Amino acid sequence: VLVHNHFQEFKVLENGKTIYLTYDDGPSQHTEKLLNVLAKYDVKVSFFVKSSSYLSIIERAYNEGHAVAVHTYSHDYKKIYSSEEAFFADMSAIRKLIAKYTPYVTPLFRFPGGSSNTISQLYNRGIMTRLAKSLTEMGYTYFDWNVDSDDAGRARTPEEVFNNITKGLQRCDDAVVLQHDTKEYSVDAVERVIVWALIRGYTFAPLTEDSPTCHHPINN
């Protein structure tokens, strides 16, 4: 594998470790910038999308080999976790939107807040346990993560996002990384993460039904 970084070229051997970069809550005004970086290095990732005025860009993402997966239509916890009926109505709405721009709507899914979220307890006790079971029985594959960029938490700069991701990568052979393409500082960290990883022999891949799901303990 040849890695080009400015005026330097590195030849590295794969280390057998795989990175699945994943992006929640987009697309946004920053997603095109992200896709340009990914195209530069021929890196494929996964987008867990919601309703957005930028949603049409998922057509480009899909055509360039990225996984376009289901996240949520509204991302309104109170609404989607109020009942199973409300949850599946929200899910159906975002699936219909995705189908406008891609020829295939995958069975890949990520719960808003992750399967371990506790906010759902405020609206419906036990709903996460029931939803996880129902989705699996319906043939969906849901994903959590084992590396958190913390770009929706304390991280506020590309440097902090880069440090959080690379520290997490060193703990995993198969890393499902959580980022948000709604956060410009997180998108701005991606090229540095890619170069760091390629030099060290990591492989990047989009999620499939056979990928590590990294399920969290369900707390509701």
Side-chain angles (χ1 to χ4, degrees), residues 149 151 155 157-166 179 185-186 189:
S149 68
D151 63 357
T157 66
E159 179 76 12
E160 290 172 322
V161 170
F162 170 82
N163 288 338
N164 289 337
I165 292 174
T166 53
Q179 288 186 267
Y185 53 85
S186 194

Side-chain angles (χ1 to χ4, degrees), residues 58-116:
I58 66 172
E59 182 175 8
R60 174 186 169 185
Y62 180 89
N63 289 337
E64 292 183 359
H66 304 291
V68 177
V70 177
H71 190 38
T72 177
Y73 181 87
S74 66
H75 216 295
D76 182 339
Y77 292 123
K78 183 177 181 179
K79 180 179 179 181
I80 61 178
Y81 291 136
S82 63
S83 68
E84 281 91 332
E85 292 78 14
F87 174 86
F88 285 110
D90 183 278
M91 189 175 189
S92 176
I94 187 60
R95 284 180 59 85
K96 287 178 181 176
L97 279 183
I98 293 171
K100 288 176 61 177
Y101 300 106
T102 70
Y104 173 65
V105 182
T106 78
L108 310 184
F109 178 80
R110 176 170 283 157
F111 286 106
S115 68
S116 59

Side-chain angles (χ1 to χ4, degrees), residues 4-114:
H4 301 276
N5 182 18
H6 300 296
F7 301 106
Q8 294 177 287
E9 183 176 87
F10 303 87
K11 189 170 184 179
V12 296
L13 297 175
E14 292 183 3
N15 65 13
K17 298 181 179 182
T18 303
I19 301 171
Y20 303 90
L21 293 178
T22 72
Y23 297 90
D24 284 12
D25 296 358
S28 78
Q29 66 270 36
H30 310 302
T31 305
E32 185 173 11
K33 179 195 292 188
L34 172 59
L35 287 172
N36 291 342
V37 171
L38 299 173
K40 177 179 177 180
Y41 294 93
D42 195 27
V43 165
K44 311 303 180 187
V45 305
S46 305
F47 293 94
F48 289 93
V49 304
K50 66 183 289 289
S51 177
S52 160
S53 58
Y54 298 91
L55 195 64
S56 61
I57 202 169
I58 66 172
E59 182 175 8
R60 174 186 169 185
Y62 180 89
N63 289 337
E64 292 183 359
H66 304 291
V68 177
V70 177
H71 190 38
T72 177
Y73 181 87
S74 66
H75 216 295
D76 182 339
Y77 292 123
K78 183 177 181 179
K79 180 179 179 181
I80 61 178
Y81 291 136
S82 63
S83 68
E84 281 91 332
E85 292 78 14
F87 174 86
F88 285 110
D90 183 278
M91 189 175 189
S92 176
I94 187 60
R95 284 180 59 85
K96 287 178 181 176
L97 279 183
I98 293 171
K100 288 176 61 177
Y101 300 106
T102 70
Y104 173 65
V105 182
T106 78
L108 310 184
F109 178 80
R110 176 170 283 157
F111 286 106

